[in-house]
Amino acid sequence: MTAAALGALLAGCGSSSNNTDSSGAAPVPAPSFPREARPGLPAPPTLAPGPRGLTPVFKRGRATGAKAAKTVALTFDADMTAGQGPRAAGGERFDNPALISSLRRLKVPSTVFMTGRWAEEYPRQARSIGRDPLFEIANHSYSHYAFASPCYGLPTVSRQRMRADVERAFAAFRKAGARHIVPYFRFPGGCYDDRALRALGPAKVTAVQWDVVSGDAFARDADAVAEQVLAGVRPGSLVVMHCTRSAAPVTDAAVRRIVPELRERGYRFVKVSDLMKRT
């Protein structure tokens, strides 16, 4: 994906271009990832905190050695900002049921980085994804506002509200009835700094980035997206894609080419939690 295309997607996911915090999140004292988020399920792996309690950042799995074993994690950002309700009411689709169906049909374990606002807009889908053992739901913030600035024109969350924004997203997933929730967080736009990592330290999450950009942002050529992923994947790779029909309309078609070709090369698809176990 070019920087311009990525910027267009991220700017399009924002509801305004000013740097104000209008997420409306209230401070929440409880930890971000309570045990009841995964009733009866084992605790997923996390990375140890960084120096001075900074939130750890995971970008890819082990690239060499037996543990790599040609594994790759496909991740999908389900983007929707706090202020995009009117656009959804007007018919814009921020979901992609066909993509989820393809992943199920192809039996591809995947991690969906979901915003809390998306879960509120599509609670039945959030519940269905979050109850299917093929998937795990990770946190992409509640508001999809930036945690560092500048960030593709996204509005920003104040440092004092960063943890609360993450808390609010986890609460939205639980309210929707999701169970397979993991303590991973992806910064909107991938934008972060030490201030954001420090603010999220008490939330006990691992920040998850990527090493392969799919290029599905506003793409119209599924083959071009597939070719970009196929050219970039290495053992232990973590691919970022999108689960948003209006912003990434060819992702489903691209996945239907990517999966069989990578399997033919000997790759096995895993969720981020499985990739992290091998690190």
Side-chain angles (χ1 to χ4, degrees), residues 155-256:
T156 56
V157 178
S158 68
R159 184 181 185 280
Q160 292 74 20
R161 290 181 177 266
M162 288 179 181
R163 180 185 172 190
D165 191 83
V166 172
E167 299 280 0
R168 191 177 182 187
F170 279 130
F173 307 154
R174 295 193 295 270
K175 184 176 180 180
R179 292 186 61 195
H180 297 282
I181 306 169
V182 289
Y184 308 146
F185 176 74
R186 175 166 287 164
F187 288 98
C191 304
Y192 67 93
D193 54 21
D194 278 2
R195 186 183 72 144
L197 294 176
R198 190 171 297 107
L200 293 186
K204 303 184 187 306
V205 294
T206 295
V208 176
Q209 295 290 93
W210 55 81
D211 69 298
V212 178
V213 178
S214 68
D216 64 345
F218 297 110
R220 292 293 183 268
D221 186 341
D223 284 330
V225 173
E227 287 164 9
Q228 183 156 316
V229 173
L230 292 169
V233 165
R234 300 290 183 272
S237 277
L238 205 159
V239 183
V240 60
M241 306 187 82
H242 295 85
C243 185
T244 311
R245 252 186 291 178
S246 60
V250 301
T251 305
D252 176 36
V255 163
R256 285 186 271 113

Side-chain angles (χ1 to χ4, degrees), residues 118-131:
W118 195 99
E120 290 178 348
E121 186 70 26
Y122 306 109
R124 291 184 181 179
Q125 291 187 57
R127 176 185 171 89
S128 176
I129 294 168
R131 293 260 173 153

